[in-house]
Amino acid sequence: MIDRSASDPVPIGRVVATEQKPATPHQFHFWTATETSVGIGAIVRVEGGGTGDGGRVVFGVVTDGFAYSDLASPLHDVIGAEGDPARAAGAPTARAEIRLWTAAVLRQMPEEPLQPVPLGDVHMASDADVALALRMDAYLHGARPTAIPVGLYTSGGLESPVYLDADFLVGPEAAHLNISGVSGLATKTSAVEFLLGALFQHFPPHRGKIAAVCFNVKGPDLLFLDHAGALEEEDRRRYARLRVDPVPFDRVRYYAPFKADGVNLNTLRSHGELVGAVEPLVWGLTEVLDFAEVLLNRDDIDAKADAFIDFLADRVVRRDFEDGFGGQHQVETFADLERLFRSIFDGLENAGRGDIWRTHHIATIRKVRNRLGNVSTRCKGLVTDDGPSSDLPWGRFEDRAVYVIDVANVDPLGQDLVFARIVSKLREHLERRDLGVDAVAVFVDELNKYAPADGAETYVKKMLLDISERGRYLGLVLFGAEQFRSQVHRRVVGNAATQVFGRMDADELATPGYQVLSPATKIKLATLPVGELMLRHPHFTQPIFVRFPRPPVLRGRDGVERYPPAQDLPFEDAVARQVTRLDPGVRPNQVKDLIAGREEADVRRALGAVRRERPADLLATLRRRLGGRVAPEAARERAAVPPLNPIPEEPY
Ligand SMILES: Nc1ncnc2c1ncn2[C@@H]1O[C@H](COP(=O)(O)OP(=O)(O)OP(=O)(O)O)[C@@H](O)[C@H]1O
Ligand SMILES: [Mg+2]
């Protein structure tokens, strides 16, 4: 039974239907007094009507408005005022003016039989009406509610919370969210930050654990999610109404690659007080090799190179391998691999055995060597030639934690590699159900860069398509943001069950993707104030406008003002800081004394090893790892391996 106790008994309008403008099952027109609180986006309730329709209730959302007088043509008004606008105002009788509105049907009760909207009274919706109109009653109440607050519907003095259904946001019924709108005014990043907070607080307990992985691709955008931001009284009121606590995220883990020096982190969160919480992201050969396709498909998809990479991955890396010329190899790092390549080239040359090694043409081998060498050169700091890797805590993801991966300053090739590997690993672990959490929301800003509507089929694009199409079964959910939806691959945006729009660009609204919106709705979208959004969600049959509060976290821009990024530290200091972070009992000078006069590469390797091992006595282990002060063996060995200079490729 519908609770109408809170509804206003006095109608604000009445449905009209004419031969030209009849009411249909999905649209109707109504008139109101000229003074009315109805506006575009307002939700209304139609009741009653003629006999036989007494019990029918229809909810609609206003999509357009018109004002009329009884004039048949503007000419009559002009002649009546003798062509003088000043006299028109002084006419002895004011012309009757009406307000006519068009509304799209949100819900009919009962739903069957589906009939045209009756000519009934129109009322402004109450809180309960909004819940019914948007079909939120199904997931808002009951034994296992799945409602996630997303914003407030505000119209006619009402402030009703609007909820998304977690089953349709995170799966399994439907999934993914896409938000678009112009830079700065659409509040895309802010809206996602707010929504992630609301999702963490309201994700239903029976759905298990959830985490978020956010790629920071722009400046300091997402680097202060664990710090409180400035909120206004109005924001706090909205939080209270939505029953969301306005607190920053309490479990945020930051990851950033090193800069080319291998010891200073490549992030704007480098202020002395905060950089301690940033974990290095460093990958070696074994991590990168599986994603070699990312590197190859940029200019050519090549079955021969693919086959050779597969051969390396399956038969060579992490195995005892004999190169056919008497050399034994244990390939673990890029440097080991380079040694193998050298002995293959030398072996072929010395033996005069032509151009084929183990069925692979020398040109293919050179090409793969160059591509792989290219990664460790271009992504220096992310990809290490030797030395151990440092990675996300696969298998130990924590409930309600946010993992921020800062790739804002990484070369596009490195960014692709980071995306490809992290998303593929998430997928792999979620498939095996051993990630540590049951669902992950992956936030990708600037989606147009990674899944563009046109351009080559890159590995990253294929992967984003794959999540969009299959992620909901796994609990792998994409939260994507971009300025122009039309520039993102159709199937990536099309598969997002929840679509959010902030202030839109008028040119963008003229593209075919927005044809379903009424002209008035488009105008509202093009002039939307900050903090207001338009939502489409599977339960809502029409787009709905909501307001949301500022996110409870420090804006990136304010963060770098409050915590200015530190200058890069000299090598010794940067190492000392990393060690003291791992073990606060160690004094920086002890570390500096220990590493004084050592080869930087050796220090980086030793530091990587202690970072991975986390031994009880860190300083002693570091000393042992560094070995004797003079390491002639190592020095000679290094000298034998020339740097990874690209060798010109020969045509096949
Ligand atoms: N709910 C809100 N109410 C009022 N102002 C807000 C609200 N949310 C965010 N803002 C403000 O709007 C501005 C832009 O927000 P945001 O950076 O999220 O936009 P964006 O769409 O991500 O922009 P860009 O495309 O440049 O990344 C910020 O200065 C922010 O403080
Ligand atoms: Mg943004």
Side-chain angles (χ1 to χ4, degrees), residues 1 25 50 68 77 83 156 165 213 224 239 254 276 314 340 356 371 420 429 545 592 633:
M1 192 60 219
Y68 286 104
D77 206 33
D165 183 349
V213 170
F224 304 95
Y239 273 103
Y254 297 93
D314 295 343
L340 171 66
I356 306 290
R371 295 292 186 278
H429 283 277
F545 289 91
K592 286 195 212 168
E633 291 281 298

Side-chain angles (χ1 to χ4, degrees), residues 178-504:
N178 185 271
I179 178 163
S180 52
V182 296
S183 178
L185 294 169
T187 62
K188 302 180 291 294
T189 310
S190 309
V192 170
E193 287 168 349
F194 163 74
L195 188 65
L196 277 179
L199 180 63
F200 279 11
Q201 288 182 33
H202 286 261
F203 192 60
H206 69 270
R207 296 290 312 279
K209 300 178 181 171
I210 186 164
V213 170
C214 300
F215 291 99
N216 182 59
V217 293
K218 235 182 345 179
D221 252 11
L222 304 171
L223 298 183
F224 304 95
L225 300 185
D226 50 348
H227 283 68
L231 295 178
E232 291 179 8
E233 215 28 64
E234 177 73 10
D235 297 314
R236 293 192 185 279
R237 220 174 37 72
R238 287 183 183 162
Y239 273 103
R241 190 82 179 89
L242 292 165
R243 286 185 299 115
V244 175
D245 236 358
V247 288
F249 295 93
D250 62 349
R251 263 182 234 160
V252 191
R253 314 275 178 256
Y254 297 93
Y255 294 84
F258 285 120
K259 291 190 173 161
D261 66 6
V263 280
N264 280 295
L265 287 165
N266 194 357
T267 177
L268 287 175
R269 193 186 154 103
S270 55
H271 187 273
E273 279 174 44
L274 305 184
V275 72
V278 185
E279 291 280 337
L281 191 67
V282 181
W283 294 337
L285 175 69
T286 41
E287 281 84 15
V288 172
L289 201 58
D290 282 345
F291 300 93
E293 204 191 319
V294 178
L295 323 168
L296 287 174
N297 66 10
R298 305 208 127 224
D299 29 26
D300 48 4
I301 303 212
D302 183 341
K304 294 182 211 166
D306 254 1
F308 182 59
I309 289 174
D310 284 346
F311 171 79
L312 290 178
D314 295 343
R315 309 273 299 277
V316 178
V317 173
R318 292 206 160 145
R319 288 168 195 274
D320 287 320
F321 182 74
E322 207 274 314
D323 61 19
F325 306 106
Q328 284 294 335
H329 299 264
Q330 254 281 352
V331 176
E332 303 252 344
T333 66
F334 278 98
D336 299 336
L337 187 64
E338 179 57 16
R339 260 176 233 120
L340 171 66
F341 282 135
R342 277 273 139 213
S343 49
I344 294 172
F345 297 144
D346 291 348
L348 283 178
E349 201 176 314
N350 295 339
R353 282 213 327 238
D355 293 337
I356 306 290
W357 178 80
R358 300 244 175 156
T359 74
H360 301 284
H361 194 278
I362 191 163
T364 309
I365 303 177
R366 283 208 176 113
K367 179 176 190 160
V368 169
R369 173 189 179 272
N370 285 355
R371 295 292 186 278
L372 291 175
N374 202 3
V375 201
S376 63
T377 321
R378 276 177 63 187
C379 311
K380 235 184 174 47
L382 167 67
V383 175
T384 158
D385 277 347
D386 48 12
S389 54
S390 163
D391 210 352
L392 266 72
W394 303 116
R396 289 176 285 110
F397 267 48
E398 290 172 83
D399 192 20
R400 269 61 175 186
V402 186
Y403 298 85
V404 178
I405 323 292
D406 189 2
V407 285
N409 296 318
V410 174
D411 174 283
L413 176 76
Q415 287 194 351
D416 283 1
L417 187 64
V418 170
F419 271 116
R421 176 148 193 282
I422 290 183
V423 175
S424 304
K425 294 286 280 183
L426 284 172
R427 192 194 153 125
E428 221 176 279
H429 283 277
L430 283 168
E431 240 163 28
R432 292 203 304 258
R433 308 230 138 265
D434 66 356
L435 184 63
V437 293
D438 304 286
V440 178
V442 177
F443 175 34
V444 181
D445 214 335
E446 305 285 317
L447 197 58
N448 49 310
K449 236 160 84 183
Y450 305 103
D454 36 42
E457 284 290 302
T458 62
Y459 187 91
V460 169
K461 185 149 121 184
K462 279 190 271 176
M463 196 188 63
L464 289 171
L465 267 171
D466 179 70
I467 309 187
S468 307
E469 281 163 3
R470 275 169 283 276
R472 71 188 167 104
Y473 305 110
L474 302 171
L476 186 56
V477 192
L478 183 66
F479 282 19
E482 71 283 320
Q483 287 189 32
F484 305 112
R485 232 171 98 86
S486 59
Q487 290 177 4
V488 179
H489 196 292
R490 251 190 34 229
R491 271 154 57 211
V492 174
V493 277
N495 274 303
T498 305
Q499 311 266 353
V500 186
F501 304 82
R503 167 91 155 243
M504 301 287 291

